Amino acid sequence: MRIILRALPFVLALFAALIAPPAHAQVEQPPPVIERLEPTSGPPGTVVQMIGRYFRPGQQVRLAGQPVEVLSQMPNRWTLRIPQGAQSGRIAVEVPGITTTIGPEFRVLAAAPPPVITDLQPRAVAPGAEVRIVGENFSPRITENLVTLGGVGVVVRTATPNELVVIVPPTAQTGRFTVRVAGSGETVAPFDLQIGVPLAITGFSPAVGAPGTQVTISGSGFHSSPRAQQVFIGNTAVRVVSASPTAIVIEVPPSATSGVIMVDIRRTGRAYSSTPFVVQAAPVVASFDPPAGPPGSMVRVRGSNFGTDVRVVQVIFGNVPGVVRGLSAQEIVVEIPQGAASGPISVIVNGVGPVRSSGVFSVLSAPAIADFQPRSGGVGTEVVITGSGFSPVAAQNRVSISGVAAQVIAAAPTQLRVRMPAAASGPIQVEVQNAGTARSGQPFVVTTPPFIARFEPAQGLPGSVVTIHGASFGNNAALVEAAIGDRRMQLRSVTDQRIEAVIPEGATSGQLRVTVRLQGSAQSQQVFNVLGAFTVSGLEPANAYPGQWLTIRGSGFTPTGMEVRFAGVPTPVPYTFVSSAEIRVVVPMGASSGALAVRTADGREASPRVDVTPPPGGMAITSVESRGCVRQGCTVIVRGHGFGARPNDQWVTFGGQRVRVRRASPVELELNVHRRMMGTATFRVQTRSGQSAESAAVTLQ
C-alpha cells in the first residue's frame, strides 16, 4: 500500500502530460484584417486611418515594402503617416515571424508646393490684434497650418489657400512669421511684423454715474477715430463721443447696467477695465399717498432706487425741499414743508435727478370760486370752474348744484371741469376733502338745448330744402334759427323734432346749426355738401393720343365721386383732382374720338368732344410718375409713345442700372425700381429694334 501511495504523484503527472495539447496550439491568435483606408491617396506626410480588426501591439505596417510610421493605435483603427519617398502600393501588416496581411492600395501623390508669404496686412499692430498673412499654398484646413511669430505659437482663426487670419499673442515682440503646412513644408516671412503699443485700459472717470453720464476712459493703443472702436459696459454697447490714442469719451446709455468696460478695436484686439463701472439708476417715482395735504402732514412716496442713506435723498415740493422722516429702497416718508407749492413731487438720489412724479400733489388751502363758464346749459353741459384751493385729484372735489352731484371730469388746483346733472338751476357748490366748501355768487341756469340727430339729403344746390331731425326744437318758429356756416336759412316749418329749411344762395359746404333762444344751440356732426355750378369749359390739348395727360377745365369738380369716360372704353378712367376748376386724366388705350363724358356724383354730366389721335412716330418719354416708395422699392409709371407692347420688348435703366418692367403697352410702362437704386437719375428706354428715349432727371426717395 505504501508503494502505491508513493507512486501516485508520478502517475498523475504522466497522465496530465499525455492529455495536454501541443505548445503552439495553446495561444493561437487570428491574423489582422485590413478593411479600408481613409483616405486612399495623398502626398508624403498624409495622415491615413487604417480600419480593420485584430490589430495588436508589435505588428508592423509597410507601404510597398517601406516602413510606415504609426501615430496612434486603437483595437480597430490605427493612424499612419505616409513617409517621405514612399511609392504607391498596398498597405501590409506584418506579425513578425508569423504572417503578413495585405490590405488595399494607397496611391502616393506628388507633394504639394511649399507655402509662400507675400504680404502682411497690417505690418504694424498691437498685441492681441488680427493680422492677415497673404501668400500661396496655405491649407484651407486650419489645423494643417502651424504658424509661429518669433518662435511663439499663433492662433489661426481662418484659412484659405491664399490667406491666413491670425491673432498676435499678448506677449509677442517684433519678429517674423513662420508658416508650416502639413505635407508641404514651411516658409518664413521676408519682413518683420512690428509690434506697437498694446491696447490697454488704465482707468476711467467718473467711476459711478447715471444713464447719460459721459465717462472718460484712459489707456493706450486706442484709435483716434470714434467709429474705429466699439465700447461696451458689461454686455451693453455704448456711444463713443470722442477718441484719441490715449483717451475715449463715452456716454452711458439708458439700458446700461454696472459692469466691466471693454474696448474692442477690429484687427487690434480687446482691452478690459480692471474694475466695473457702477451705473447709478435714476430713482423711479411710481406713486404717492395721500394725493393732497396741508404743510406739516406726511406723504409716502413709493417707487424704487431710493437707497438707504437719508443724507443723499432730497424730496422737493415746488422749489422747497421737504424733511425726510423715513427711508427704504422702495419708499420715502417726507414731511410737507411750509411754503410748499402744488405740483409734481421731485426726488433726487445721490445727485441723480430730479425725477418728477407723473401725478400732481396738491398743497391744500381753503377753496374759493372766482368764476364759472358757461353760465347756463342743458344736462350734460361741461362747465369750467376757476378759483383756488381745489384738489388736483378729481375724487377729492365734490361739486353739486341744487343738492345734486355733478361729475368731475378733470381737476387742477385752480380749475375744475364738471358735467352738469339733471337738476334745477342754482349756485354751484365745491367741497374739497379736508379743506372746506365754496359756493358761487351766481346761479347756473339749467337749460334744454336742441339736439340734431341727422339731416337729409346730405347735399344739394342753393335753394334746395333740407330736413333736420332731432329734439327740443320747440314749436315756436320765432324762437328758432337755422344756419349753414355763417348763412342763415329760411325756415319752411318747425316742430319739436323736425325742421325744414332752405339752403341760401352763396352758402358753402359746412355743418348745420340750430339755435333755440334762451335754450342754446346744437351743431350737426356731419357736413352738408353745397353743390356748385358744374361746367366743362375746355380740354387741353384738344387732340390727344393714348398715354398722354389730358387737362379738363371748368367748375364744380370734386376730389372724389366723379366719373370720366372715353368713347371706346367701357370703364371709367381714374382722375387726378387739381382744384374745383381743374382735373387731369391719362388718355387710355383703346380710346377713340368722340364725346368725353364727365359726370358728378349727383348725376350732372358734361360731354365735350375730344379727338384721339395716334401717338407720334418714334419714341419719347413724356412723363414719369412715382406711385410711392416703400421699403421694397418704388412703383414708377413711365408714359410716352413708341414702347413695346410686352415687358420683354424693351430694356429700361435708371441711372445706368436695369430695372424690372412689370407691365407694358405702347404708351405706358409700369416699372419696379429696387430700394438700393433710390436717388436722382434719368430713366432710359431702349427697344429691341434699337429705338431709345431718355427722361428728364427724376428723384426717388
Side-chain angles (χ1 to χ4, degrees):
M1 188 66 177
R2 290 183 179 175
I3 297 174
I4 294 174
L5 292 176
R6 290 179 180 175
L8 183 58
F10 298 99
V11 174
L12 293 175
L14 178 60
F15 178 75
L18 290 174
I19 65 173
H24 65 274
Q26 293 181 7
V27 198
E28 185 173 353
Q29 298 285 349
V33 177
I34 305 174
E35 295 178 350
R36 64 183 186 277
L37 301 176
E38 294 179 358
T40 59
S41 63
T46 301
V47 175
V48 178
Q49 301 296 320
M50 182 177 69
I51 302 168
R53 304 188 303 276
Y54 311 129
F55 299 152
R56 291 179 293 275
Q59 297 174 352
Q60 299 178 356
V61 183
R62 294 182 181 272
L63 172 60
Q66 183 176 351
V68 175
E69 180 185 2
V70 179
L71 300 178
S72 65
Q73 296 177 350
M74 295 179 65
N76 297 321
R77 179 189 296 267
W78 282 14
T79 302
L80 316 175
R81 177 182 284 124
I82 304 302
Q84 296 295 326
Q87 296 181 355
S88 300
R90 291 183 176 274
I91 288 286
V93 176
E94 295 182 356
V95 179
I98 299 177
T99 184
T100 298
T101 298
I102 306 298
E105 182 178 0
F106 183 86
R107 187 159 55 91
V108 179
L109 305 177
V116 177
I117 298 176
T118 59
D119 193 14
L120 300 179
Q121 297 177 359
R123 296 192 182 185
V125 296
E130 287 187 358
V131 176
R132 295 171 58 230
I133 303 175
V134 182
E136 300 175 357
N137 306 328
F138 304 141
S139 174
R141 296 184 177 180
I142 293 177
T143 56
E144 293 183 355
N145 301 281
L146 178 62
V147 182
T148 59
L149 176 62
V152 178
V154 174
V155 175
V156 180
R157 291 193 60 181
T158 62
T160 68
N162 299 103
E163 180 181 285
L164 301 177
V165 177
V166 301
I167 301 175
V168 177
T171 59
Q173 298 182 356
T174 298
R176 300 193 177 190
F177 280 110
T178 298
V179 176
R180 176 182 298 170
V181 179
S184 299
E186 69 177 29
T187 185
V188 179
F191 29 73
D192 288 341
L193 176 70
Q194 300 294 326
I195 304 299
V197 177
L199 177 62
I201 297 176
T202 57
F204 56 87
S205 178
V208 180
T213 302
Q214 290 195 351
V215 180
T216 300
I217 304 171
S218 304
S220 61
F222 302 149
H223 201 287
S224 58
S225 171
R227 296 184 178 181
Q229 53 238 322
Q230 288 183 298
V231 181
F232 296 81
I233 298 177
N235 295 322
T236 304
V238 302
R239 183 174 75 91
V240 177
V241 178
S242 62
S244 71
T246 58
I248 300 174
V249 178
I250 62 172
E251 183 176 292
V252 180
S255 60
T257 57
S258 300
V260 172
I261 296 176
M262 181 188 75
V263 176
D264 185 354
I265 303 178
R266 189 170 180 266
R267 299 189 182 281
T268 297
R270 295 177 176 178
Y272 297 85
S273 63
S274 59
T275 58
F277 175 81
V278 178
V279 178
Q280 171 65 57
V284 176
V285 178
S287 64
F288 53 83
D289 182 45
S297 62
M298 300 294 173
V299 177
R300 293 182 181 273
V301 181
R302 297 181 178 90
S304 59
N305 304 327
F306 297 150
T308 56
D309 188 352
V310 69
R311 296 171 299 176
V312 298
V313 177
Q314 289 181 290
V315 182
I316 301 172
F317 298 82
N319 294 320
V320 182
V323 180
V324 178
R325 299 298 186 184
L327 177 65
S328 70
Q330 290 81 36
E331 184 177 273
I332 306 171
V333 179
V334 60
E335 180 182 330
I336 303 172
Q338 295 295 328
S342 298
I345 297 176
S346 300
V347 177
I348 302 174
V349 178
N350 202 20
V352 177
V355 174
R356 293 176 175 82
S357 63
S358 59
V360 172
F361 181 83
S362 179
V363 179
L364 299 179
S365 58
I369 298 175
D371 193 13
F372 62 87
Q373 291 292 338
R375 295 299 179 94
S376 64
V379 176
T381 299
E382 289 189 8
V383 177
V384 176
I385 305 170
T386 56
S388 61
F390 305 145
S391 172
V393 180
Q396 294 181 354
N397 303 279
R398 187 181 185 277
V399 181
S400 61
I401 176 173
S402 300
V404 180
Q407 179 188 3
V408 180
I409 302 171
T414 59
Q415 186 181 90
L416 299 176
R417 185 158 57 92
V418 302
R419 181 173 289 114
M420 283 298 166
S425 301
I428 295 175
Q429 180 174 293
V430 177
E431 181 182 350
V432 181
Q433 183 178 336
N434 300 324
T437 302
R439 185 184 298 268
S440 64
Q442 298 292 328
F444 177 83
V445 179
V446 180
T447 63
T448 306
F451 167 71
I452 298 177
R454 58 186 175 87
F455 58 81
E456 55 187 20
Q459 60 184 12
L461 295 167
S464 61
V465 176
V466 60
T467 301
I468 305 171
H469 300 272
S472 302
F473 298 147
N475 297 302
N476 187 350
L479 300 179
V480 178
E481 177 183 306
I484 178 171
D486 59 352
R487 296 274 181 165
R488 186 170 179 175
M489 296 190 292
Q490 178 187 354
L491 302 180
R492 289 281 188 91
S493 65
V494 175
T495 67
D496 192 55
Q497 297 179 342
R498 173 174 169 156
I499 297 173
E500 290 185 355
V502 179
I503 302 299
E505 293 293 334
T508 58
S509 298
Q511 294 170 299
L512 302 183
R513 186 178 68 258
V514 173
T515 301
V516 180
R517 193 179 309 165
L518 303 178
Q519 296 301 314
S521 299
Q523 186 167 273
S524 66
Q525 296 292 327
Q526 295 77 28
V527 171
F528 182 88
N529 186 23
V530 179
L531 301 176
F534 173 67
T535 61
V536 175
S537 59
L539 307 176
E540 183 182 342
N543 301 321
Y545 55 85
Q548 187 175 11
W549 281 100
L550 178 66
T551 300
I552 305 172
R553 293 190 172 88
S555 62
F557 299 147
T558 58
T560 59
M562 297 182 63
E563 284 189 0
V564 181
R565 294 176 180 266
F566 283 82
V569 179
T571 58
V573 298
Y575 67 92
T576 300
F577 179 80
V578 179
S579 68
S580 62
E582 180 179 322
I583 60 175
R584 300 181 70 213
V585 295
V586 176
V587 180
M589 291 293 295
S592 57
S593 300
L596 176 67
V598 182
R599 180 178 297 171
T600 64
D602 61 339
R604 292 175 290 167
E605 183 174 314
S607 303
R609 176 179 175 80
V610 61
D611 291 325
V612 180
T613 62
M619 177 188 288
I621 297 175
T622 58
S623 68
V624 176
E625 175 188 353
S626 171
R627 291 287 174 84
C629 297
V630 295
R631 189 171 185 177
Q632 292 78 14
C634 286
T635 297
V636 177
I637 304 297
V638 175
R639 296 187 175 92
H641 55 80
F643 306 146
R646 298 175 302 178
N648 293 335
D649 288 343
Q650 52 261 311
W651 293 268
V652 182
T653 59
F654 180 66
Q657 300 185 69
R658 186 169 179 179
V659 298
R660 178 188 174 198
V661 181
R662 298 176 58 182
R663 181 175 55 80
S665 72
V667 297
E668 184 177 285
L669 301 176
E670 182 178 329
L671 311 177
N672 184 17
V673 181
H674 196 277
R675 184 69 181 172
R676 63 174 178 270
M677 301 181 186
M678 300 295 95
T680 301
T682 61
F683 284 96
R684 182 175 180 83
V685 181
Q686 182 173 354
T687 64
R688 293 181 181 276
S689 61
Q691 295 190 38
S692 64
E694 189 168 3
S695 71
V698 177
T699 299
L700 301 178
Q701 58 184 7

